[in-house]
Amino acid sequence: MSTINTSYAAMQYGMNIAQKIRQQDSRKADTGEKVKETGETQSTETKKLSKKAQDVLKKLKDKYGNMDFFVSDTTDDTEARQIMSRGTKEYSVLLSSDELEKMAEDDSYYNSRVKDIDGAVSMSKQINGQFGFDSAYGKENGTQIAQIGIRLNDDGTTTYFVELEKLSEKQKERIENAKEKKAEDAKKADKSAEKAETVKKTSVQANSMEELQEKIRNIDWDSIKEETLQTKGGKFDFRA
């Protein structure tokens, strides 16, 4: 190869690397801005609470390390999904300021709502077992619950927002192949399978476990278009 061709190849390689770095920095900036915006909004909502209600919120956050808690007085389902879509943990819980105030003033009511949260966790495990799903925060399987949103309504009821994801046949095949490889090669195989695969996503909303099970059972995956999944472990969008 000539000196000119070598120099051009090196220059092209350097440009590609620089472009990738700029893209990564841009994604980090977007994520940082969104986290900052969410934090500022929640800080404003939290300041409106009484000291007792703020203590209840802190108590819930300390109790459930795998949950993001959001405070909003919205009654709109779409807005509720948008708020909970900002969560980065396995579960997102949405409460109104009135709900937190009631929990702060009534221990029995607080305990009943905590039982509802625990029930949602048990429900997700039951659904995983019933339908053969896995949590997106556990091992990967064909279909999985990506994230669960729990809204504790002011009337004492609970609404569930469940995001489900179905891996493409190619991705499942690659994961299975990775399992068959030697231990030292498995991580490399997993990474190559995670880079740019396709998945199908859908969300289900229900006011009871029975309704949720029925809606999940009736999902027509064949009618859902595949989307490109660029990275593993990212936040899932409830806005669909």
Side-chain angles (χ1 to χ4, degrees), residues 83-102:
I83 293 170
M84 288 187 286
S85 74
R86 301 166 188 164
T88 58
K89 298 180 180 178
E90 189 168 3
Y91 300 89
S92 292
V93 182
L94 180 65
L95 309 93
S96 70
S97 56
D98 286 344
E99 189 71 359
L100 281 167
E101 295 292 352
K102 285 192 288 185

Side-chain angles (χ1 to χ4, degrees), residues 123-124 127-128 130-131 133 143 145 162-164 202-206 209-221:
M123 175 198 68
S124 68
I127 289 175
N128 285 341
Q130 179 180 353
F131 294 96
F133 296 166
T143 306
I145 293 180
V162 178
E163 180 88 0
L164 295 111
T202 189
S203 57
V204 176
Q205 177 180 336
M209 182 171 180
E210 291 74 18
E211 182 185 3
L212 188 62
Q213 289 173 319
E214 183 67 20
K215 287 187 174 181
I216 291 175
R217 190 179 295 112
N218 292 328
I219 292 174
D220 182 9
W221 286 106

Side-chain angles (χ1 to χ4, degrees), residues 6-205:
T6 302
S7 299
Y8 176 78
M11 180 182 69
Q12 192 68 35
Y13 176 78
M15 291 173 64
N16 290 337
I17 293 297
Q19 183 179 11
K20 288 181 179 180
I21 292 174
R22 286 195 297 270
Q23 291 173 343
Q24 290 173 353
D25 289 342
S26 177
R27 284 195 294 270
K28 288 179 181 178
D30 291 342
T31 301
E33 285 300 318
K34 193 165 188 179
V35 170
K36 180 181 178 182
E37 180 183 351
T38 301
E40 290 175 349
T41 302
Q42 285 302 298
S43 178
T44 301
E45 294 290 339
T46 302
K47 287 178 180 178
K48 297 177 183 177
L49 299 172
S50 66
K51 179 63 168 60
K52 282 187 177 181
Q54 290 183 32
D55 290 342
V56 166
L57 182 60
K58 183 179 184 303
K59 185 177 179 180
L60 290 171
K61 290 180 178 180
D62 292 341
K63 179 179 177 65
Y64 298 102
N66 63 338
M67 298 184 183
D68 283 312
F69 286 86
F70 299 96
V71 181
S72 174
D73 293 332
T74 183
T75 57
D76 181 74
D77 290 339
T78 300
E79 188 174 352
R81 288 196 298 270
Q82 289 175 339
I83 293 170
M84 288 187 286
S85 74
R86 301 166 188 164
T88 58
K89 298 180 180 178
E90 189 168 3
Y91 300 89
S92 292
V93 182
L94 180 65
L95 309 93
S96 70
S97 56
D98 286 344
E99 189 71 359
L100 281 167
E101 295 292 352
K102 285 192 288 185
M103 293 171 71
E105 294 297 331
D106 188 341
D107 288 340
S108 62
Y109 188 74
Y110 169 86
N111 291 331
S112 71
R113 297 313 258 158
V114 166
K115 186 180 292 186
D116 289 335
I117 296 174
D118 291 337
V121 176
S122 299
M123 175 198 68
S124 68
K125 292 178 180 178
Q126 184 174 338
I127 289 175
N128 285 341
Q130 179 180 353
F131 294 96
F133 296 166
D134 280 297
S135 166
Y137 292 76
K139 69 174 186 177
E140 295 190 54
N141 200 348
T143 306
Q144 59 194 11
I145 293 180
Q147 194 178 40
I148 294 180
I150 308 164
R151 185 175 66 189
L152 301 182
N153 303 313
D154 290 346
D155 60 0
T157 60
T158 305
T159 302
Y160 307 100
F161 301 87
V162 178
E163 180 88 0
L164 295 111
E165 178 184 272
K166 188 178 182 66
L167 304 181
S168 68
E169 291 301 320
K170 287 185 178 180
Q171 187 173 9
K172 285 191 288 183
E173 183 180 348
R174 290 187 185 182
I175 291 173
E176 287 302 317
N177 290 339
K179 292 178 182 178
E180 296 174 2
K181 290 182 177 292
K182 295 180 181 179
E184 59 268 23
D185 296 330
K187 291 183 179 179
K188 294 180 181 179
D190 285 342
K191 288 180 180 179
S192 66
E194 294 162 4
K195 285 183 181 178
E197 296 297 344
T198 56
V199 296
K200 293 183 176 183
K201 295 181 182 179
T202 189
S203 57
V204 176
Q205 177 180 336

Side-chain angles (χ1 to χ4, degrees), residues 225-237:
K225 293 183 179 180
E226 291 185 343
E227 304 174 28
T228 301
L229 179 66
Q230 296 293 344
T231 58
K232 178 187 174 186
K235 179 177 60 55
F236 295 87
D237 191 356

